[in-house]
Amino acid sequence: MNIDFSTDSVAVTNRLAYWRDVVCNTFANIDCQAPPDVPFHARLADCGLQGIHFCESSASPVQVSKNTALIQQNSHNNFMLCIQQEGLCVVDQNNLQARLFPGDMALLDSVRPYRVAFPDTSRQLIVHMPRDALLKVLSDAERRCAQRISGAQGTARLVTQFMQGLSTQLRRPDSIDLLGPVAVALKSGALELIASALSETLVTRAEPPAQIARYRLLYRAQHYIESQLANPDLTVDAVARHLSISTRRLQQVFKDCGLDPPSRYLWLQRLECCKKACEAPEFAQRSIGDIALMHGFNDFSHFSRSFKAAYGCTPSEYRRTR
């Protein structure tokens, strides 16, 4: 499914607010800041292949970021390869900074805070990859984040050409069969090519192995929680048992990664799924109570109070405004 967003049809004074609401808050779950003295404009086009997404974006000067609070609200457990096409981009993560010029690229990890600044009008292709998929072909991918890969390198040029060509092809009406063997081969080839480019980069300030292990454990915990949200009996103790660690260890991992306790993460994930269901057309005929039950809430009064505490209105009020 291809998705396109643009501010072209929005009044200039409303463009940044529109972009924050439709793209940053709903689609990407990131924060967005832009200078007030520059008219804002932006465009984004997204297409997918076997779990890999190709996002082409262009915008006037802007800064996007993701802090621990946003990570906790809704984790997108991906690696992102940022391929600069026009203008300058400055990426920050893990106390590292990389300046990207056209042709350059850098990897970001969505489970850790980051900031990406575009001081001038720019264009970028972002390849979103599932964490597990990249780690299978590059086991130390976390250590390769926020490292500039020069566009002058041969492998980097191949990556840029391949990813841009694949993104363009996927937008065509006569695109490839997304479930067929060609799609599977293209996904595998894309991941191997990205891993080859990343492996050529020398890591100058690698994170300690213990910290990388914490983030991997955090990802496994988040992934399990998200897969079990419909289970009303899911508890922090149950998550810890699934991971074969103690509850205390699990709580410490969340704390060391700068997040609230896992119990709050579980609570927020359930609420966020209910919120999205209240917006979705396919759930329009389902009652609020049904939606709550589907996402692990078995006490409607408690759910309604929790929803209002998190979003400032009851589920019914929120649904009426959509």
Side-chain angles (χ1 to χ4, degrees), residues 40-281:
F40 181 76
H41 67 83
R43 180 184 298 272
L44 182 148
D46 179 86
C47 58
L49 172 76
Q50 294 274 321
I52 299 179
H53 282 263
F54 301 84
C55 180
E56 296 190 30
S57 66
S58 61
S60 55
V62 68
Q63 176 179 288
V64 297
S65 60
K66 196 164 193 175
N67 57 25
T68 53
L70 290 172
I71 291 171
Q72 183 160 267
Q73 288 176 14
N74 185 18
S75 68
H76 292 272
N77 296 317
N78 298 321
F79 285 110
M80 299 169 289
L81 183 69
C82 303
I83 304 174
Q84 194 67 13
Q85 297 175 313
E86 293 179 8
L88 170 67
C89 168
V90 182
V91 301
D92 288 274
Q93 189 170 55
N94 305 337
N95 296 316
L96 297 174
Q97 184 180 93
R99 297 169 64 85
L100 307 183
F101 296 92
D104 296 344
M105 61 187 70
L107 188 70
L108 289 174
D109 188 349
S110 69
V111 304
R112 289 180 279 184
Y114 63 82
R115 182 176 68 247
V116 183
F118 302 92
D120 302 300
T121 297
S122 60
R123 186 165 61 90
Q124 190 175 80
L125 172 63
I126 307 126
V127 183
H128 296 255
M129 302 158 281
R131 287 178 60 82
D132 288 345
L134 184 59
L135 287 171
K136 284 181 180 178
V137 293
L138 187 66
S139 60
D140 64 348
E142 294 104 332
R143 300 177 60 195
R144 308 286 176 172
C145 292
Q147 301 284 341
R148 174 178 173 264
I149 303 175
S150 171
Q153 295 181 13
T155 309
R157 288 198 300 271
L158 284 175
V159 170
T160 298
Q161 294 168 4
F162 184 85
M163 300 304 159
Q164 185 60 66
L166 187 52
S167 177
T168 300
Q169 177 62 31
L170 289 171
R171 298 180 198 287
R172 293 169 55 94
D174 57 343
S175 181
I176 61 175
D177 178 6
L178 298 181
L179 301 177
V182 173
V184 175
L186 286 172
K187 173 185 177 180
S188 177
L191 290 169
E192 293 284 355
L193 193 56
I194 289 170
S196 295
L198 291 169
S199 65
E200 292 178 2
T201 302
L202 295 176
V203 180
T204 57
R205 292 173 60 191
E207 282 189 296
Q211 184 64 10
I212 292 176
R214 289 189 195 99
Y215 277 111
R216 289 195 178 186
L217 191 56
L218 173 68
Y219 162 68
R220 290 175 58 205
Q222 291 176 328
H223 182 73
Y224 181 70
I225 287 172
E226 291 164 12
S227 71
Q228 299 292 315
L229 290 176
N231 179 6
D233 297 324
L234 180 65
T235 63
V236 174
D237 289 342
V239 176
R241 284 195 299 272
H242 175 78
L243 299 174
S244 300
I245 61 175
S246 68
T247 300
R248 183 177 179 181
R249 170 63 175 153
L250 179 61
Q251 292 169 335
Q252 189 64 45
V253 165
F254 272 72
K255 182 178 180 180
D256 290 345
C257 293
L259 301 182
D260 287 338
S263 56
R264 179 168 173 78
Y265 179 82
L266 170 57
W267 177 75
L268 287 173
Q269 289 300 302
R270 281 181 166 152
L271 285 176
E272 187 65 22
C273 286
C274 290
K275 175 173 169 280
K276 289 182 178 179
C278 288
E279 302 170 357

